[in-house]
Amino acid sequence: MSFIVELLAFMRARRKFWLYPMMIMIVLFGGLLILAKGSALAPFIYTIF
């Protein structure tokens, strides 16, 4: 968890605001992969892609 806090502090201090949308997309795709692995929603997620 400290890695995330340090990353956010780095982005805030260095004015790397363009990294926020990329980090959000990575988290969303990671969440989709976790949902697609072993849930009943997997067939519906696969049809999106």
Side-chain angles (χ1 to χ4, degrees), residues 1-48:
M1 195 63 154
S2 66
F3 172 74
I4 296 169
V5 173
E6 286 184 33
L7 182 64
L8 291 174
F10 168 78
M11 288 191 295
R12 193 173 302 131
R14 301 277 193 256
R15 306 283 186 203
K16 303 285 186 186
F17 297 120
W18 55 271
L19 287 174
Y20 285 117
M22 289 180 10
M23 298 303 285
I24 291 170
M25 292 305 295
I26 289 171
V27 169
L28 287 176
F29 280 126
L32 275 175
L33 288 174
I34 290 172
L35 278 176
K37 185 173 181 179
S39 71
L41 296 175
F44 301 110
I45 294 172
Y46 287 132
T47 59
I48 293 173

